[in-house]
Amino acid sequence: AQKITQTQPGMFVQEKEAVTLDCTYDTSDQSYGLFWYKQPSSGEMIFLIYQGSYDEQNATEGRYSLNFQKARKSANLVISASQLGDSAMYFCAMREFPYNTDKLIFGTGTRLQVFP
Amino acid sequence: EADIYQTPRYLVIGTGKKITLECSQTMGHDKMYWYQQDPGMELHLIHYSYGVNSTEKGDLSSESTVSRIRTEHFPLTLESARPSHTSQYLCASQGGQHGDTQYFGPGTRLTVL
C-alpha cells in the first residue's frame, strides 16, 4: 500500500538560510508522482512542486527544489533563502500511475517556522 | 492553475442543522475531491467525483453526502450536523500540468456547537 512518511513534526530555520524538509514514500509501482503543498495558517493548500518518477532531473520552482532519490524512495523539499512568509505546514503527497484511483496520499506534515 | 472557490469560509452552526458547503471551479476539470482535515493534521479523502453524475466515497467514512450535477459544482451536504463534524473541509479539482495536480480551494472551517 502507498504510504508517505514525514518524520519532522516541526522545523526551525533562520531567515535567508536554506532548509530541507524530509519525505519518504513507499510504493510497489514504478510509475508515480510526488507533490509538495504548503498550508499557511489561513488554511488553503498551495501547490509548490511536482516530481514524476521517470523524471531524470530534480524538479525546481523558484526557491523550491525537490531532492529526488529514487533508490532511497525519498523526495525531500529544499527551500533556499527562507523568508518569514515561508512559515507554514508543508505536506508531501504521492499518487501512483496509471490512475488506478487518482487519489493523493498525504503525509502528516511538517510545521516550518522561519525566524528573523 | 485552477480557480476553485469555496463558501462559506467559516461557519458556526448548532447541532441538528442541515448545512451545505459549496465548491465550484472554473477550469472545466472533471475530477473533484473533498478532504477533511483537523487542525495541524493530515488530510483525509471523504468524497470524490470523476465527472457529472459520478460520486464515490473516499477512504475516511463520513456522514456527509455529495452531488455532481454540473461539472463546475461539487457541493457537500450534512443533513444533521454534530459536534464531531467540526473540522476543516477542503475541496480540490484535478487537471493541467505537473502530473495532473490537485488544486485546492481556500477551505471551509466548520464549527458545530
Side-chain angles (χ1 to χ4, degrees), chain A residues 35 37 39 41-45 47 50 61 89 91 95 97 99 101-108 111, chain B residues 9 31 33 35 37 40-43 45 48 50 59 88 90 94 98-102 104 106 109:
Chain A
F35 305 78
Y37 288 85
Q39 187 176 43
S41 58
S42 53
E44 73 269 34
M45 292 283 284
F47 165 70
Y50 164 79
E61 291 285 348
M89 283 288 288
F91 290 93
R95 184 169 69 241
F97 303 146
Y99 300 121
T101 61
D102 252 342
K103 297 175 187 177
L104 275 180
I105 305 298
F106 286 86
T108 52
R111 182 173 299 280
Chain B
R9 289 293 312 277
K31 297 170 185 173
Y33 305 81
Y35 292 88
Q37 183 190 28
M41 304 296 285
E42 63 200 285
L43 279 72
L45 180 68
Y48 60 100
Y50 288 165
D59 301 320
Q88 172 160 259
L90 288 158
Q94 181 171 308
H98 305 298
D100 240 12
T101 297
Q102 287 188 17
F104 286 80
R109 293 195 182 184

Side-chain angles (χ1 to χ4, degrees), chain B residues 54-110:
Chain B
S54 154
T55 60
E56 300 287 344
K57 289 189 177 295
D59 301 320
L60 181 67
S61 176
S62 174
E63 295 168 346
S64 58
T65 59
V66 293
S67 63
R68 190 86 183 276
I69 299 173
R70 304 196 315 266
T71 298
E72 62 272 21
H73 196 212
F74 190 40
L76 181 146
T77 298
L78 275 166
E79 290 292 334
S80 179
R82 295 209 300 262
S84 60
H85 296 140
T86 295
S87 190
Q88 172 160 259
Y89 294 84
L90 288 158
C91 180
S93 74
Q94 181 171 308
Q97 300 178 343
H98 305 298
D100 240 12
T101 297
Q102 287 188 17
Y103 297 98
F104 286 80
T108 295
R109 293 195 182 184
L110 173 65

Side-chain angles (χ1 to χ4, degrees), chain A residues 54-69:
Chain A
Y54 291 116
D55 294 341
E56 294 184 351
Q57 292 191 337
N58 288 341
T60 60
E61 291 285 348
R63 293 186 299 110
Y64 304 108
S65 60
L66 203 151
N67 184 1
F68 181 47
Q69 298 187 43

Side-chain angles (χ1 to χ4, degrees), chain A residues 5-30:
Chain A
T5 302
Q6 294 181 254
T7 57
Q8 306 155 313
M11 290 283 286
F12 289 88
V13 65
Q14 191 167 28
E15 199 176 8
K16 300 180 184 178
E17 297 294 313
V19 63
T20 298
L21 306 183
D22 294 341
C23 173
T24 58
Y25 59 91
D26 187 18
T27 179
S28 55
D29 271 15
Q30 296 301 310

Side-chain angles (χ1 to χ4, degrees), chain B residues 10-20 78-86 109-113:
Chain B
Y10 303 91
L11 179 61
V12 181
I13 201 164
T15 297
K17 299 292 186 182
K18 178 180 178 178
I19 60 170
T20 297
L78 275 166
E79 290 292 334
S80 179
R82 295 209 300 262
S84 60
H85 296 140
T86 295
R109 293 195 182 184
L110 173 65
T111 301
V112 183
L113 303 176

